[in-house]
Amino acid sequence: MGSISQHLAELDASNFKVTRSTTLRDVPLPGSPEELSHSHCTDHMVTVRWTDTNGWETPEVKPYQNLSIPPTASCLHYATECFEGMKVYRGYDGKLRLFRPDCNGQRLSNSAQRSSLPVFKFDQLKKLVAKLMQIDGPRWLPNPGTFLYIRPTMIGNGPHLGVQVPKEALLFVIAVPWPDISSKGLRLYASTPDTIRAWPGGFGYAKLGANYGPSLQAHGQAKAMGFDQILWLFGEDRQVTEAGASNFFIIWRDASGKLELVTAPLENQLILPGVTRRSVLELVSERLSTQSVGSLEPLKVVERTLTIAEIEKAAEEGRIVESFVSGTAYFITPVAMIRNVNTDISTLGPNGESAGYTTLIKSWLEHIMFGKEQHEWGYVIEDGEN
Ligand SMILES: *Cc1c(COP(=O)(O)O)cnc(C)c1O
């Protein structure tokens, strides 16, 4: 940071320029082709411009519209892009809530830094989202127990084709109805050594578009073979990192018979530090690590490197109890099986039944998200003046 940066304006979401849409869009019905398209956004969007001479400008709420950027824009050539995935929930008490939005704000700012884009005060992101939802929430999210998907994004959009740190950037926030897909059990396809998602010193820990483009071909091939997601392995020892856009968990008995909830660690920066992942670990530590819940025995929470060979061995020895993935988009979803090269590994418990841990953890989170449990992780969006 040079000395000029001291005079740059901070991102400040206490003040907005608002332009209301005069032609409101149709709200898609649940399950309709528009909803399933994942592209039918709400009436408005938030944009905030940044320049390296002035810093962050006043945020704007304006009708949803195409962006205009020069063909030389940095993001189109050098992948100066990062994003977030959040949801806004309509609670059973009628209130709109975000789930731990400061975690997303912090992560977006970290991702921006890793992709040479400007950082910002992370607590401002939730205010940008809140403003958009004060305007679009009443019409687009009227029903308790439903949600919209929110996509905050930052791009380098300056016109300089020369290879350099972007001199201009745009932060925007859009909201889109998202189908509530629930699966009884995902089928994961373990990645092969010729396709690596992330590596030490890389950027697997940041939510960058650059992590995704190069992984979509493998995803498409796995889909064509009837699998739901790639399970990304890393290294000679085939470490299990994460699955698609979600973190991976397994519940098994260790060699001594003790029940563990195991997931990959953050320290080596290979995986995305999911907000849902963190919440699962914190809730299980707090509520299920020292006491049973109903008939469910306590779980020891373990963040460590685990390999596909360990999972295969545990399956052979009948020690796997359950497996699931976590993430905002697909929430908490059980995993039924993993194909590794030519071996199909069942990750269901004895007799193909789940013990109930995944369901319990999912319900804890849902209660917080939809306001059935008042919790500090639920950020209530106050009504706007509509
Ligand atoms: C977004 C994402 C996740 C899940 O993160 P959440 O904060 O829980 O939504 C996991 N892995 C990858 C690669 C992701 O992009």
Side-chain angles (χ1 to χ4, degrees):
M1 292 276 144
S3 57
I4 313 171
S5 62
Q6 289 159 13
H7 308 294
L8 296 182
E10 299 270 14
L11 178 57
D12 177 6
S14 61
N15 194 14
F16 275 85
K17 187 179 157 211
V18 178
T19 311
R20 296 262 180 167
S21 175
T22 50
T23 51
L24 295 180
R25 300 156 63 84
D26 289 338
V27 179
L29 294 169
S32 62
E34 293 79 23
E35 191 196 55
L36 294 172
S37 76
H38 298 100
S39 62
H40 191 89
C41 292
T42 63
D43 292 311
H44 296 87
M45 65 198 281
V46 170
T47 62
V48 201
R49 247 171 63 86
W50 176 91
T51 63
D52 73 344
T53 45
N54 295 322
W56 292 102
E57 299 181 358
T58 304
E60 290 186 56
V61 178
K62 56 170 100 157
Y64 177 82
Q65 59 194 270
N66 287 346
L67 300 175
S68 174
I69 59 173
T72 53
S74 173
C75 62
L76 299 177
H77 302 273
Y78 309 122
T80 47
E81 188 267 1
C82 58
F83 64 95
E84 268 307 315
M86 305 167 73
K87 281 177 178 169
V88 57
Y89 305 88
R90 176 68 74 184
Y92 291 99
D93 56 1
K95 293 188 174 143
L96 290 180
R97 280 184 185 77
L98 300 175
F99 181 75
R100 309 187 82 176
D102 284 341
C103 296
N104 298 92
Q106 180 102 63
R107 192 169 65 189
L108 184 61
S109 189
N110 290 345
S111 299
Q113 187 162 42
R114 188 66 182 83
S115 44
S116 313
L117 289 165
V119 299
F120 59 90
K121 281 203 207 141
F122 65 80
D123 63 338
Q124 299 301 296
L125 181 69
K126 64 175 181 282
K127 299 186 184 171
L128 297 179
V129 177
K131 186 74 182 179
L132 181 62
M133 280 307 118
Q134 283 171 347
I135 294 175
D136 283 348
R139 206 166 90 80
W140 287 79
L141 195 56
N143 300 323
T146 61
F147 60 82
L148 291 174
Y149 185 77
I150 309 281
R151 174 53 64 84
T153 310
M154 206 192 299
I155 56 173
N157 66 336
H160 312 282
L161 194 57
V163 178
Q164 59 179 307
V165 172
K167 291 178 189 294
E168 290 177 35
L170 184 74
L171 169 57
F172 60 88
V173 184
I174 52 177
V176 62
W178 196 266
D180 193 358
I181 305 163
S182 64
S183 168
K184 286 216 152 50
L186 297 176
R187 294 164 51 81
L188 304 182
Y189 188 84
S191 66
T192 47
D194 57 351
T195 319
I196 300 173
R197 192 196 86 95
W199 46 88
F203 41 88
Y205 67 91
K207 218 167 169 76
L208 310 189
N211 278 319
Y212 280 85
S215 75
L216 297 180
Q217 196 183 22
H219 177 72
Q221 287 165 353
K223 276 277 202 199
M225 289 187 290
F227 293 88
D228 298 293
Q229 291 290 348
I230 297 279
L231 179 65
W232 293 104
L233 305 187
F234 176 77
E236 305 267 306
D237 56 351
R238 313 311 291 145
Q239 299 165 22
V240 173
T241 61
E242 57 183 322
S246 51
N247 295 112
F248 176 84
F249 290 82
I250 193 152
I251 301 172
W252 64 21
R253 286 190 192 279
D254 69 9
S256 72
K258 216 169 150 48
L259 267 188
E260 288 184 335
L261 171 70
V262 187
T263 195
L266 300 183
E267 289 73 33
N268 55 18
Q269 299 200 323
L270 289 177
I271 66 163
L272 203 282
V275 178
T276 324
R277 173 190 180 279
R278 174 176 168 181
S279 306
V280 167
L281 295 175
E282 290 174 2
L283 285 179
V284 171
S285 299
E286 187 187 306
R287 302 181 179 183
L288 194 52
S289 63
T290 53
Q291 74 261 42
S292 327
V293 174
S295 59
L296 297 175
E297 303 170 42
L299 292 179
K300 185 171 167 219
V301 174
V302 183
E303 295 175 70
R304 72 156 169 94
T305 297
L306 74 157
T307 65
I308 194 76
E310 286 180 273
I311 295 181
E312 217 171 303
K313 185 155 184 276
E316 280 163 14
E317 297 174 358
R319 289 189 283 108
I320 296 182
V321 175
E322 271 176 54
S323 173
F324 62 92
V325 297
S326 77
T328 300
Y330 297 102
F331 199 32
I332 304 285
T333 308
V335 174
M337 62 83 66
I338 302 166
R339 174 167 300 171
N340 180 40
V341 195
N342 298 318
T343 310
D344 282 354
I345 309 169
S346 167
T347 47
L348 297 170
N351 349 316
E353 302 260 336
S354 85
Y357 287 100
T358 307
T359 310
L360 176 68
I361 293 167
K362 186 173 168 181
S363 74
W364 281 341
L365 288 165
E366 266 168 350
H367 286 177
I368 297 173
M369 290 162 172
F370 291 104
K372 278 191 178 164
E373 178 187 344
Q374 299 302 319
H375 195 282
E376 57 180 4
W377 291 349
Y379 171 76
V380 174
I381 298 177
E382 302 301 335
D383 291 339
E385 60 299 345
N386 257 281

